[in-house]
Amino acid sequence: MSEEKNQNEIEEVTNEDEHKDVEHYCYLCRRPESVAGKMLELPNNIFICTDCMQRTLNSMGNGQFGFIDARNMDLDSMDITKMMNDMQSMQPKAEVKKKKKDKKEEPEFTLKDIPAPHQIKAMLDEYVIGQDYAKKVMSVAVYNHYKRVVTNTMDEIEIDKSNMLMIGPTGSGKTYLVKTLARLLKVPLAITDATSLTEAGYIGDDVESVLSKLLQAADNDVDRAEHGIVFIDEIDKISGKDDRRGGDVSREGVQRDLLPLIEGTTVNTKHGAVKTDHILFICSGAFHLSKPSDLLPELQGRLPIRVELKALTHDDFVKILTEPEANLIEQYIALLGTENFKLEFEPAAIDKIADISVAINENVENIGARRLHTVLEILLEDISFSATDKSGETEIITAEMVEEKLHKYTEASDLSKFIL
């Protein structure tokens, strides 16, 4: 009898020794016993830490059970299955961090990736009407610029940057040309207004802020930003010198701050050092009240390529309305088509729209091709207003309809009403 008792004691001790190295995990929070502390053992070999049990009891029934100490509760009197279901439904789901998108590795930029000048112009012709000479000059300049970026040197001779100065009236397509160029070449583009820039040390955006815009356009990829394009519009608004005494915040001071940036320098940003040596800078302005010579000679020297754009003509307006991809006529047809309303334009009507747009530009304020959008909005305002009630119908715009709707804008005496 004593031998049997001793054998049982030996087995109990052995079992206890075997379980000493076993660590239980909480069924809900998955923390080990060494972290969560002593576990409550439930049927089916389920273990719950006292924290999870207490939190569940406090939540059940919106507190109708009051406070219960999980460490002293009577497990035999509880519906364990229901409790487990309740606990699983009440436990907050673990937070899952969003998986970051893998950064696409950009293939190395090679000479083969640069379209020839005639190819660049052909691509621009699909989107930009007119300005053939300007497109030709820009195509050559861009090709030479990116060839310089790829080769860096040519037979040990350093090639100057092909930065440009675009000169042309408002609405002649300067900004649109640059936007289209950047999109076709698949390079990041930053656009800024020179009048918003201030000399370093003054309140406002300093010239280096344009690099922040370029980095943003490049998804903060410094390498892509260093091969991008910076477009500075309204450069003519900071030409000349102020008669004011003291610091020149917005004119000559800004021009001088732009010099190293355009020529090539290194700027420290929160995303790393950005070199501007291979960034293409394009400045533009109307220069109708001033002339390019009013810019600092040093700045002119850093913008060696001169791109001159002419005012758009009646024929240009007709082509803008009908020829480019996603032209204005197609846009309005598509917009009204969403209401199952069909819109058509007779050729004579398009000709009349161009006539009126040119007249308003000449007699009121020349905003170029942007005028077409305004004229179309006025012409189609009534049709657009009632299109939802005319599903399935077709409206054909004639020259007479254009004349009737816009007749008050065809006489010089009434054109002043069209000032925007």
Side-chain angles (χ1 to χ4, degrees), residues 103-339:
K103 182 180 178 181
K104 293 182 180 179
E105 293 187 4
E106 297 288 339
E108 187 176 353
F109 199 64
T110 65
L111 197 59
K112 295 180 180 179
D113 298 320
I114 310 172
H118 70 276
Q119 293 174 319
I120 296 175
K121 183 181 181 299
M123 291 188 292
L124 288 173
D125 287 340
E126 296 180 15
Y127 298 91
V128 182
I129 296 299
Q131 310 297 1
D132 287 337
Y133 177 74
K135 287 186 287 189
K136 184 177 180 180
V137 173
M138 290 186 72
S139 298
V140 173
V142 168
Y143 177 75
N144 287 338
H145 172 78
Y146 282 105
K147 186 163 63 173
R148 169 187 178 273
V149 170
V150 172
T151 59
N152 201 14
T153 58
M154 189 75 70
D155 297 330
E156 303 303 323
I157 298 175
E158 187 174 353
I159 303 173
D160 290 335
K161 294 178 69 176
S162 299
N163 297 320
M164 297 177 235
L165 176 62
M166 301 180 73
I167 303 169
T170 300
S172 57
K174 299 186 294 294
T175 304
Y176 187 60
L177 263 172
V178 176
K179 283 183 176 180
T180 305
L181 195 61
R183 185 175 71 251
L184 294 175
L185 295 175
K186 299 179 181 178
V187 295
L189 169 67
I191 299 177
T192 192
D193 191 321
T195 58
S196 67
L197 302 176
T198 59
E199 187 178 352
Y202 291 86
I203 296 176
D205 293 334
D206 58 36
V207 295
E208 293 181 359
S209 66
V210 299
L211 294 183
S212 299
K213 293 182 179 180
L214 187 62
L215 276 167
Q216 187 176 3
D219 295 327
N220 296 323
D221 186 327
V222 174
D223 291 335
R224 285 195 67 221
E226 289 180 341
H227 296 83
I229 298 175
V230 169
F231 180 63
I232 304 175
D233 199 8
E234 306 281 8
I235 196 72
D236 55 318
K237 300 293 178 60
I238 62 169
S239 63
K241 298 182 179 180
D242 270 340
D243 294 330
R244 299 171 302 171
R245 296 180 179 179
D248 183 0
V249 180
S250 62
R251 292 194 177 184
E252 187 176 346
V254 174
Q255 291 185 51
R256 294 196 180 280
D257 287 346
L258 283 171
L259 294 179
L261 207 66
I262 292 177
E263 183 176 20
T265 187
T266 300
V267 178
N268 292 319
T269 71
K270 63 179 181 180
H271 298 287
V274 177
K275 293 182 178 180
T276 67
D277 302 64
H278 293 158
I279 295 175
L280 178 61
F281 284 84
I282 303 176
C283 299
S284 78
F287 291 99
H288 62 286
L289 297 177
S290 57
K291 50 186 182 297
S293 59
D294 289 333
L295 292 172
L296 288 176
E298 299 92 333
L299 184 58
Q300 292 187 67
R302 287 160 177 78
L303 301 169
I305 310 300
R306 190 69 56 87
V307 182
E308 296 188 8
L309 292 86
K310 61 183 179 62
L312 298 174
T313 64
H314 169 274
D315 290 342
D316 292 330
F317 277 13
V318 172
K319 292 178 181 178
I320 290 170
L321 286 170
T322 58
E323 291 187 5
E325 293 189 22
N327 57 67
L328 280 173
I329 295 294
E330 288 183 353
Q331 289 179 35
Y332 280 96
I333 290 174
L335 279 172
L336 292 171
T338 61
E339 308 290 346

Side-chain angles (χ1 to χ4, degrees), residues 356 359-365 371 378 406-420:
I356 294 174
I360 297 171
N361 276 347
E362 290 178 349
N363 292 279
V364 182
E365 183 182 7
R371 180 68 67 195
I378 295 174
L406 299 170
H407 72 280
K408 65 179 179 179
Y409 303 119
T410 59
E411 297 180 7
S413 60
D414 289 330
L415 287 174
S416 60
K417 299 177 182 178
F418 208 95
I419 296 177
L420 302 180

